[in-house]
Amino acid sequence: MTLLETIRGPRDLDALSKEQFEQLAAEIREYLVVNVARTGGHLGPNLGVVELTLAMHRVFDSPHDAIVFDTGHQSYVHKLLTGRQDFSALRQTDGLAGYPQRAESEHDIVESSHASSSLSWADGISRAFTMTGQRDRSVVAVVGDGALTGGMTWEALNNISDDNNRRLIIVVNDNGRSYAPTIGGMARFLNTVRTRESYRSLYLTSRQAFDRLGGPGRALYRGMRGGLHGFLSRFTNNEALYSNLDIKYIGPVDGHDSQALIEALEQAKNYGAPVIVHAITEKGRGYAPALRDVADQFHAVGQIDPDTGESLETSGATSWTSVFGDRLVELAAGNERIVGITAAMLRPTGLHRMAERFPARVIDVGIAEQHAATSAAGLAFGGMHPVVAIYATFINRAFDQVLMDVALHKAGVTFVLDRAGVTGPDGPSHHGVWDLAILQVVPGIRLAAPRDATRLEEELTEAVAVDDGPTVLRFPKGNVGVEFAAVRRTDDGVDVLRESTEKDVLIVTVGPMASVGLEVAERLAAQGIGATVVDPRWVVPVPHSVVDFSAEHRIVVCIEDGIRVGGIGTRIRQDLREAGVDTAVTEVGLPDEFLDHGARADILERTGMTPQHIARDVMGMVLGSKLPHARGVSADTGPTQLTARSPE
């Protein structure tokens, strides 16, 4: 039995010696490499927080003491130490989540993996503990240094420093990176802390001086180390970053020295007021392939060879992200007004390709989507056309800025939303299912959803040509599928993918759901039900030809990979009523619930988003056995008056 296998809960760490701590850290790293290589997941960040997580669980008593991770992708070690050592189905259906999850353990508190929120959580939890007399309970917020670029962090710090009679410990996990190297003035300051020769020189000199005194000297040094860190940080001006916050600063501490971490955290715990512990760690620690990875040190990997780090996913297909990235470079080459903006996700969104070609025209604002949107409005006012590339799930954070700063001012800004729809293994906070419902309420906005690579290139070209309001282009995670050529295109840009002489069902598909719509149409045709399939390309505002098609058919079926509530189907139904068209509309989309992690196919099956399920429901509507009834079914004629046609 390995030492790791004997750890069933945090208190099993209490009796471990220094040597056993080091052994356990090595076993955890080996376990992570072997298991995450098999399933995929966030490997680099977790290799970097092994000793830090061990020290936190040694010093603090979770769940009595609350530990909040920001972001939660650095919680794998925490899971191992709190009784969850089966990573065989990590991030897969019915397996462990890749982020903290309350249903898994009482040790997990914050499930959302949207960065920069932990200090607000910690502020609220610590206030509640104080108000209810639970002054023996500490709150620990583990903040990746990338999260410090988010404005919400500084809002929380302002309030924490204003009421500083609480047991609140802020652990800054400073590895110099979020996905890629951390951006901004904060990052530059922390970089100087890591490399400042005066700090390192004083640290080593003081340690050597105590070492010369033998065992008693080393014991005295260990006892003074917490205070020494504070002295050295003040002497070398490391404390300057937090000097106006009235929060005690301890550090920097070697994030891979368990004993130094334990002593610093003990001092912070006993201080009785908010404390910042600055731990310098190395992303990908102990795994050579990760350390050699210049892009993001194996921030997130698919299935890999654990020995070499080489990917085992051999698909040669082209990704949606790469299609976007390449086309944007082409457009930027011909239009000097185009500038790219991203929020700490240069490579994941494909903007790195433009940055390589036009470095002065790509801006990484850090984890600050709100700032990205309003800064884009300013750039548009100044004569540029910004392309803001972020994940669909993160546009939620910038809604007010899209509404009040971009749309109200009719700013020509293009938002490109990667990972739209069901994304799969990263779970509830990463599914991009809200963007269509949220954004379509913005006056003057135009939303495009390409069904394939050709349409993505086409619609991006159209989007950046719009200068009198916001445009949005959304596409899913993964590789682009097959091309779907149109039978014809209407005057207002709607692609007809399949046309039936029998005007029974109009299927309106949103983006890549075109493949589902076409298969539904084939299944209906096999039962003698005629279906026309159209792709609006630009789904908001609803093209008038969609209204015209709807008037000709008995029922409209809208298939979208966003939530049904307030989705595109709802918008079509409202536009039909306004135009005086009484054709019934059924909205096929995702339920308004938080979808768990798992394979995309499993989630679509569970939510009834498969061609088989949709076709069966639509047949019932056409035959009058299921609501909404297709036009032609009424109380007078009754459903028995309509039967499916026999296949010819």
Side-chain angles (χ1 to χ4, degrees), residues 437-448:
I438 289 174
L439 293 177
Q440 70 162 295
V441 304
V442 175
I445 202 165
R446 298 162 189 156
L447 304 179

Side-chain angles (χ1 to χ4, degrees), residues 89 96 105 133 137 146 175 322 404 417 445 543 584 622:
L96 284 180
S105 173
R137 301 182 71 179
N175 62 19
S322 63
M404 292 298 175
L417 308 184
I445 202 165
V622 171

Side-chain angles (χ1 to χ4, degrees), residues 74 186 259 354 386 520 584 624:
Q74 59 183 327
M186 163 70 74
Q259 299 308 303
M354 183 176 171
V520 170

Side-chain angles (χ1 to χ4, degrees), residues 18 166 236 335 478 510 528:
K18 176 182 177 182
R166 292 172 278 159
T236 55
N335 184 352
V510 175

Side-chain angles (χ1 to χ4, degrees), residues 33 44 250 285 352 367 476 520 526 598 613 625:
V33 169
I250 299 175
R285 175 84 171 189
H352 66 290
I367 303 177
V520 170
H613 187 99
S625 62

Side-chain angles (χ1 to χ4, degrees), residues 319-331 349-354 456 460 475:
S319 71
W320 289 93
T321 304
S322 63
V323 173
F324 158 69
D326 289 342
R327 182 56 179 158
L328 185 63
V329 170
E330 294 172 0
L331 293 170
T349 60
L351 265 186
H352 66 290
R353 301 189 180 190
M354 183 176 171
L456 192 161
L460 178 61
F475 51 79

Side-chain angles (χ1 to χ4, degrees), residues 156-212:
L157 279 170
N158 181 59
N159 281 274
I160 290 169
S161 64
D162 187 55
D163 179 11
N164 59 6
N165 187 28
R166 292 172 278 159
R167 293 182 176 275
L168 197 165
I169 296 88
I170 302 166
V171 178
V172 178
N173 171 28
D174 177 12
N175 62 19
R177 310 174 76 89
S178 49
Y179 280 82
T182 307
I183 298 299
M186 163 70 74
R188 286 194 296 273
F189 182 90
L190 293 180
N191 280 334
T192 65
V193 172
R194 292 186 210 98
T195 58
R196 185 172 288 137
E197 185 61 32
S198 57
Y199 171 82
R200 180 167 176 77
S201 176
L202 276 171
Y203 178 88
L204 294 176
T205 301
S206 61
R207 179 167 187 166
Q208 291 165 0
F210 281 100
D211 281 346
R212 283 195 291 270

Side-chain angles (χ1 to χ4, degrees), residues 16-17 35 40 93 151 176 204 324 357 375 390 414 418 508 511 609 620:
L16 298 186
S17 64
N35 285 273
T93 304
L204 294 176
F324 158 69
R357 180 79 178 275
S375 177
I390 57 178
T414 295
D418 202 328
V508 181
M609 292 284 288

